[in-house]
Amino acid sequence: MKTTFKLFVMLLSVISFAQTTVKGTITDNTGQPLPGANIIIEGTTTGTSSDFDGKYIIDTDQAPPFKLVITYTGFETQTIEVTSNNQTIDVKMVEGNELDEIVISASRTPERIFESPVTVERFGLKEVKNTPSVDFYDGLENLKGVDINTNSLTFKSINTRGFASFANTRFMQLVDGMDNSAPALNFPLGNLLGMVETDVNSIELLPGAASALYGANAFNGILFMRSKSPFDNQGISGYIKRGITSQEAAGDNDYTDVGIRMAYKFSDKFAAKVNFGYLKGTDWAATSEEDRFNRGLTRADTDYDGINVYGDEVSTNIRDASGSGLIPDVVVSRTGYNERDLTNYNAESIKADWGLYFRPWANDFEIQYVGKLGLGNTIYQGANRYNIKNFFLQQHKIEIRNDNFFVRGYVTEDKAGDSYDMVFTGVNINRAWKSDGDWFGDYIGTYAGVLLSGNPSGLTDAQIHDLSRQVADEVIDLPGQADNIERFLPGTPEFQNAFNQSVNDPDLLTGSKFQDNSKIWHADANYNFSHLWDVAEVQVGGSFRTYSLNSSGTIYTDVDGPINYSEVGVYTQIQKSLDLSDNVEVKLTGSLRYDKSELFDGFFSPRLSAGFTVNENHNFRASFQTGFRNPTTQDLYIGLDVGRAILIGGAPDNPERDIRNYNVANNSLSAFGASILGSNSVNINGAGAYNNSFFASSVVDGFANTGNPADLQIANSNLAQPEQVTSFEVGYRGKVEGFVIDASAYFNAYKDFLANETVIAPFYGDVQLTQNIPGTSTPLAVAAIANGDYQAYQTYTNSDADINSYGGAIQVSKKIFNGFDLSANYTYTKLDFDVNANPDFRTNFNTPEHKVKVSFGKTEVIKNLGFNVAWRWSDNYFWEASFGDGEVPAFNVLDAQINYRIPSFKSTFKLGATNLLQDEYFTAFGTGFIGSQYYLSWTINNL
């Protein structure tokens, strides 16, 4: 009996631990292996990926029969039945097209692009591997409807459908569900805290408003980047790219980009991965010495302010400063420094992420911890040009999920590192050598001395000004004048000492460093009820976010401590498919979201869409949705002096927090003003920007020329409120005789458009001009303007102007010449806004009206050899932003790559070049010209 029992137990053990093994090879329809194909046991999360030779092995304790589901981007999904142990199943995949690819972002649920209720773009593994751009992030520029504005080599700003800027708070970027915007800036720094290329699984882009599902700031579009799971993709993979950047201003410079991914599946319950990336190069040098305000001035003119020359922003009217009618009534600016003397153009990015993934029941229920960090150097152009040096950004996420729900929470923290404002660096190097008062005093004294001496040398007015500048700069000394230290020149120890002092001093009166250690705490959740009933697919979800702004007063008005505020949102979506006939199916989608910030009233954001599929090859769609965006952290709480004006946020409690001192000693307050205010030194807050101000244009262009108070126009900007958009969209996707067509058109109507107004607030007197100088009929506010006793502000407010935009895009793709891929797309974008009726309003549309993009290539021209060529053309457009306004000329760019696979080494070598035509161009006023890049890359084991 005991022996029988032992045999029975042994038999049970054998049965319990018996494994089914399935192996095989995945190939395309030509017999070429497909590395990285996903092979999953149907109804489970158990699976694997094919290796570099297309081979796979699955071991499972599930007894046959069961089914394998094989997927690969660009190919139709295959389902194969397993009937026995140790079965060999070779699968030949059937090539599909981009409309068959699966996306998640459009409805928060998997669906084919073909059936998506709204426009969506996808950039899959095939596109990542074959892009001729230097990296996958740059390759997104070849998608239809997408604009990438180049701030620097390591900072690209993505946008769709207009209203672009480098501080693009209208566009969201999510990496594995985390918003990777920098808390201090409220927008993402390109791919600085993004993904290492070998870890990219899929990229999706939703153009236009998406607030109904994704909340505030999902206004102009969202970029979704998803990484590879260590359960599905194990092993070590990596790449190295070496090459050069070539620019006329900066010359030829080395470029290096290295990345590595390590992932291991310890069991069906636990897996982990680590990624690391390093990039180093030389940034595109910005060297324009043209006049920033498009007046055609040069340094030979008294009031010159060069685009990439800093320190010459400091200027004064020398007649007003002298108080003498002998001195000409002209504005004179100090001599500035070129940007190339204030930065080394070091472009560097170090990023790493790691993740622990636990499946306690070895099914789809998963617990994740993910950490990310990024450290780098780049150039950012906002109100001024900033050298972002040793900037640090980190995120930490805990997420619980399965196929039907997720709950996640994460924190994002940034540190400004050694970042500094290059404009104020130039300003304060000048001041470290000689104060503004002394410099203008020397200038005025020299000019007056020539006139009072009878101008014995017969100098022209221009020559007198040139002499005055040389004396003020201590380039020359007049007879009898002391031999003082010459203006600090780049390359000298004196210049370097002043530079070091400035970039380490956060007080903008004497330095240029900015500090920040802001944070965002975010939580969101979603549940899909589709597994519980078949009537319709229903989802519910919500999010909560808290901001903590902590710049120590260098960016925000947070001198007294961090500024904290929160926002919350909830949403639901219902989706239902109906068969109207044998040939027509309709998918109806309805979404509704409610969002509430503690600073504003709540908002509802609905979305309705209908998609009609006809004869399986044609899909017509139409949608209506509304969106909104709350004012950003900077819109609300900024308090930053950028030289020409003070940026003052529009939160209800913000203007009073911005307190600054004005005094007679530094010429920020006139003697007359001191007599009116009863003190030679006064503290004034920013409230006047919103409740006692004139439009700057009415002062500069009106009153300054006529002296007529009637030309002054009251501004009194309103405090900032959320911006809203109503969007209508129609589209078509289909296959027609081998052509794949994807087209869409949209119309957007904006309400309470968030924008800036430049205003001037007098230190005394009311802008209604009811308060006069005692004993006179002269309004005090007019006297304040005339005596220079005022402050220029840039406010953050909403416009009641009618602002609309509309446009469309179409892409046509086809296989030609026995398997070559040819694709072309066209995008049209138009702003509908009456500029003449609103001369003081700036929309910052910053988008070309016409764009054309074409790509041509083949992954396998001959065995293991492929290539791709991409060309794009952009129409000219006008760029307007706080740094400056100017025309961006039309440009066209040609990128190309050729690649060769060596399966025995599991390697791919790629030789590529961007901007092969070598026609340097720029995408925004004030930035460096974009040159060419040439690179050779080696990628190993990237399935």
Side-chain angles (χ1 to χ4, degrees), residues 409-579:
Y410 62 88
V411 60
T412 306
E413 178 185 17
D414 64 28
K415 292 182 180 179
D418 301 312
S419 303
Y420 60 93
D421 182 328
M422 290 189 287
V423 171
F424 271 95
T425 303
V427 168
N428 286 316
I429 290 175
N430 268 339
R431 288 173 175 169
W433 162 67
K434 181 185 287 189
S435 71
D436 293 338
D438 287 346
W439 191 91
F440 286 113
D442 289 345
Y443 191 106
I444 293 168
T446 303
Y447 195 100
V450 172
L451 297 185
L452 292 173
S453 67
N455 190 8
S457 300
L459 300 178
T460 65
D461 184 66
Q463 290 173 328
I464 299 174
H465 279 292
D466 183 58
L467 175 65
S468 301
R469 180 173 299 278
Q470 291 186 64
V471 171
D473 283 342
E474 304 290 348
V475 175
I476 62 174
D477 297 311
L478 294 178
Q481 187 180 46
D483 185 14
N484 294 319
I485 299 174
E486 186 178 347
R487 178 175 176 265
F488 297 157
L489 297 179
T492 64
E494 294 81 5
F495 174 88
Q496 193 60 48
N497 289 337
F499 174 87
N500 293 338
Q501 179 179 339
S502 178
V503 300
N504 287 288
D505 181 358
D507 184 349
L508 291 183
L509 293 176
T510 53
S512 55
K513 180 178 183 177
F514 65 86
Q515 300 173 314
D516 185 72
N517 186 201
S518 295
K519 298 181 180 69
I520 292 175
W521 286 272
H522 184 93
D524 58 342
N526 183 84
Y527 196 94
N528 190 323
F529 292 90
S530 60
H531 65 293
L532 299 178
W533 56 70
D534 297 327
V535 176
E537 181 177 275
V538 179
Q539 297 183 64
V540 296
S543 64
F544 177 81
R545 175 174 290 194
T546 293
Y547 297 88
S548 180
L549 310 179
N550 184 19
S551 73
S552 302
T554 62
I555 301 173
Y556 298 105
T557 57
D558 54 359
V559 174
D560 297 326
I563 300 171
N564 300 303
Y565 68 99
S566 302
E567 54 193 33
V568 64
V570 293
Y571 64 86
T572 186
Q573 175 177 278
I574 301 175
Q575 195 169 67
K576 176 68 175 177
S577 295
L578 301 170
D579 292 325

Side-chain angles (χ1 to χ4, degrees), residues 554-788:
T554 62
I555 301 173
Y556 298 105
T557 57
D558 54 359
V559 174
D560 297 326
I563 300 171
N564 300 303
Y565 68 99
S566 302
E567 54 193 33
V568 64
V570 293
Y571 64 86
T572 186
Q573 175 177 278
I574 301 175
Q575 195 169 67
K576 176 68 175 177
S577 295
L578 301 170
D579 292 325
L580 300 184
S581 69
D582 291 341
N583 298 320
V584 180
E585 178 184 346
V586 62
K587 178 187 281 189
L588 302 174
T589 306
S591 308
L592 181 65
R593 182 176 177 113
Y594 176 78
D595 286 271
K596 175 72 172 71
S597 166
E598 68 176 75
L599 300 175
F600 308 107
D601 294 334
F603 277 87
F604 285 98
S605 302
R607 183 179 81 175
L608 299 172
S609 68
F612 295 86
T613 300
V614 181
N615 292 329
E616 297 184 350
N617 288 325
H618 307 281
N619 180 272
F620 302 87
R621 67 186 185 276
S623 67
F624 159 82
Q625 57 188 313
T626 64
F628 82 102
R629 71 180 186 103
N630 285 323
T632 67
T633 54
Q634 294 194 24
D635 293 341
L636 294 170
Y637 287 108
I638 197 169
L640 179 63
D641 187 345
V642 295
R644 301 176 303 279
I646 292 173
L647 311 184
I648 185 74
D653 59 339
N654 190 60
E656 289 80 4
R657 303 163 67 105
D658 188 84
I659 302 172
R660 300 177 189 269
N661 180 263
Y662 301 86
N663 58 75
V664 174
N666 64 9
N667 296 317
S668 58
L669 179 67
S670 72
F672 176 82
S675 67
I676 293 294
L677 296 170
S679 174
N680 287 336
S681 179
V682 294
N683 291 327
I684 296 177
N685 65 40
Y690 290 91
N691 62 28
N692 194 56
S693 62
F694 299 111
F695 282 113
S697 60
S698 72
V699 175
V700 176
D701 300 328
F703 177 76
N705 295 323
T706 66
N708 184 358
D711 291 330
L712 295 171
Q713 298 177 14
I714 297 175
N716 290 356
S717 301
N718 293 318
L719 296 171
Q721 293 291 322
E723 177 182 337
Q724 302 171 62
V725 63
T726 302
S727 179
F728 302 88
E729 181 180 313
V730 294
Y732 167 79
R733 300 184 185 97
K735 294 173 278 188
V736 181
E737 296 184 357
F739 290 92
V740 177
I741 302 170
D742 190 350
S744 63
Y746 67 91
F747 176 84
N748 292 335
Y750 296 88
K751 179 183 178 183
D752 295 329
F753 192 92
L754 278 164
N756 302 114
E757 290 178 345
T758 303
V759 303
I760 285 177
F763 294 161
Y764 42 87
D766 64 320
V767 293
Q768 290 77 20
L769 306 184
T770 63
Q771 300 171 351
N772 296 331
I773 299 174
T776 75
S777 59
T778 302
L780 278 169
V782 172
I785 298 298
N787 283 279

Side-chain angles (χ1 to χ4, degrees), residues 929-943:
F929 278 68
I930 302 166
S932 303
Q933 285 185 266
Y934 306 92
Y935 65 92
L936 174 65
S937 71
W938 173 25
T939 303
I940 185 167
N941 206 30
N942 187 30
L943 305 181

